[in-house]
């Protein structure tokens, strides 16, 4: 049986806190609350939460400052920010600073539940490759083994997914346009330092210097295309 996800809801509006708590508990989540960023940080550093749902505009310490301090304490922390006062450009800024999602107030409950569901799913494997056929085939190979997968068409897509979902392992193609496999891997490690990353390539000699450099950033190993399903699954099962 899947364990109940733990949520920390942070807002200086006590009525809203009570309403969210009732809704989320009915949906099966374990819920704790805080009325400002200082309380949120104290609670977050004293126990583990799967997700923080936090207002931006609060007294003492606002949601943006609290987000930064929470991410300093745990770079893998997942935080959804809510506000009625933020413009789209500011929303994008907080996403770039580490939020895994943003919501406008008044909050659409259906949208909220969808975002919470995505953010608290069991960790999955991320496949990052700009070759559509290869990406689809690899996902199929893993899903036949009952391994849940997410796919990304490039580095930017991978970073977006990693901010929004729980990823415990990523397979990243080295040769991609715009953001290559090394840059993608570095950004993924910044989002989730514990994420296991395996590079993939069909260019063995050409890729060797990149692979050596990638090891300095915590990349585990490299799979050389074409590889067998047994090689792939062995890496996954060793990691999980």
């Amino acid at each position: 049986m899947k364990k109940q996800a733990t949520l920390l809801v942070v807002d200086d509006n006590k009525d809203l806190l009570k309403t969210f708590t009732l809704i989320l508990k009915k949906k099966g989540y374990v819920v704790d609350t805080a009325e400002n960023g200082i309380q949120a940080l104290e609670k977050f550093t004293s126990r583990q939460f799967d997700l923080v749902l936090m207002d931006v505009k609060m007294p003492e310490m606002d949601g943006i400052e609290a987000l930064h301090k929470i991410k300093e304490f745990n770079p893998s922390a997942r935080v959804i920010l809510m506000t009625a006062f933020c413009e789209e450009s500011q929303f994008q800024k907080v996403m770039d600073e580490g939020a895994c999602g943003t919501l406008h107030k008044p909050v659409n409950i259906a949208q909220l539940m969808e975002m919470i569901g995505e953010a608290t799913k069991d960790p999955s494997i991320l496949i990052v490759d700009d070759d559509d056929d290869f990406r689809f085939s690899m996902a199929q190979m893993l899903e036949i083994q009952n391994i849940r997968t997410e796919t990304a068409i490039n580095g930017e897509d991978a970073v977006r997914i990693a901010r929004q979902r729980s990823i415990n392992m990523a397979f990243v193609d080295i040769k991609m346009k715009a953001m290559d496999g090394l840059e993608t891997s570095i950004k993924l490690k910044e989002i989730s330092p514990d994420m296991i990353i395996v590079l993939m390539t069909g260019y063995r000699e050409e890729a060797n210097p990149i692979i050596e450099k990638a090891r300095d950033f915590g990349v585990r190993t490299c799979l050389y295309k074409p590889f067998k399903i047994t090689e792939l699954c062995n890496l996954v099962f060793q990691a999980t």
Side-chain angles (χ1 to χ4, degrees):
M1 183 178 177
K2 183 181 175 181
K3 78 175 185 70
Q4 292 175 300
T6 55
L7 310 183
L8 176 61
V9 184
V10 190
D11 202 300
D12 59 335
N13 183 325
K14 293 182 180 180
D15 290 335
L16 190 62
L17 275 184
K18 186 181 293 185
T19 299
F20 277 169
T21 299
L22 287 172
I23 292 171
L24 294 171
K25 283 185 174 180
K26 281 187 177 181
K27 294 292 184 179
Y29 295 106
V30 176
V31 184
D32 198 353
T33 62
E35 294 180 14
N36 56 54
I38 293 174
Q39 285 184 16
L41 190 61
E42 288 173 351
K43 292 199 173 187
F44 189 87
T45 54
S46 64
R47 62 171 292 195
Q48 184 176 346
F49 292 95
D50 296 304
L51 180 68
V52 180
L53 178 64
M54 183 159 57
D55 189 34
V56 169
K57 197 175 178 66
M58 296 182 294
E60 297 188 62
M61 182 190 291
D62 66 22
I64 305 296
E65 187 180 353
L67 166 69
H68 292 159
K69 290 185 178 297
I70 285 171
K71 296 294 281 188
E72 284 174 13
F73 180 79
N74 180 1
S76 301
R78 301 196 171 276
V79 181
I80 295 174
L81 291 176
M82 310 177 291
T83 184
F85 304 98
C86 211
E87 295 180 359
E88 288 300 327
S89 60
Q90 293 172 298
F91 267 45
Q92 185 56 52
K93 187 173 185 294
V94 297
M95 290 292 288
D96 293 339
E97 291 171 349
C100 72
T102 54
L103 282 169
H104 285 285
K105 285 183 171 181
V107 172
N108 180 302
I109 297 300
Q111 183 185 10
L112 170 65
M113 299 313 302
E114 182 179 354
M115 290 179 71
I116 291 174
E118 286 292 335
T120 58
K121 274 182 180 177
D122 287 333
S124 60
I125 305 297
L126 177 62
I127 302 166
V128 191
D129 201 302
D130 55 5
D131 183 323
D132 294 343
D133 292 336
F134 178 85
R135 192 174 63 251
F136 177 75
S137 297
M138 186 172 172
Q140 272 197 321
M141 284 193 291
L142 289 171
E143 286 172 0
I144 286 171
Q145 304 296 319
N146 294 318
I147 298 167
R148 195 169 72 83
T149 63
E150 301 282 349
T151 61
I153 62 173
N154 53 41
E156 293 90 340
D157 194 30
V159 169
R160 177 187 60 79
I161 290 169
R163 283 182 177 143
Q164 295 174 347
R165 298 174 177 83
S166 181
I167 304 293
N168 62 359
M169 188 174 192
F171 289 87
V172 184
D173 189 44
I174 289 177
K175 203 165 186 176
M176 296 185 293
K177 295 177 182 178
M179 188 188 294
D180 65 18
L182 177 58
E183 186 181 355
T184 301
S185 299
I186 292 170
K187 288 186 179 295
L188 290 176
K189 282 296 229 179
E190 287 173 355
I191 294 168
S192 181
D194 293 332
M195 187 186 300
I196 296 168
I197 297 180
V198 176
L199 292 176
M200 306 182 293
T201 186
Y203 304 90
R204 186 181 291 263
E205 296 301 323
E206 183 182 335
N208 281 341
I210 298 173
I211 295 165
E212 288 305 312
K213 189 174 182 181
R215 292 184 193 279
D216 294 336
F217 293 95
V219 171
R220 175 73 60 91
T221 188
C222 183
L223 277 176
Y224 294 98
K225 300 176 180 178
F227 47 78
K228 296 178 180 178
I229 180 65
T230 51
E231 292 180 82
L232 176 61
C233 288
N234 282 342
L235 282 172
V236 172
F237 291 137
Q238 285 169 17
T240 56

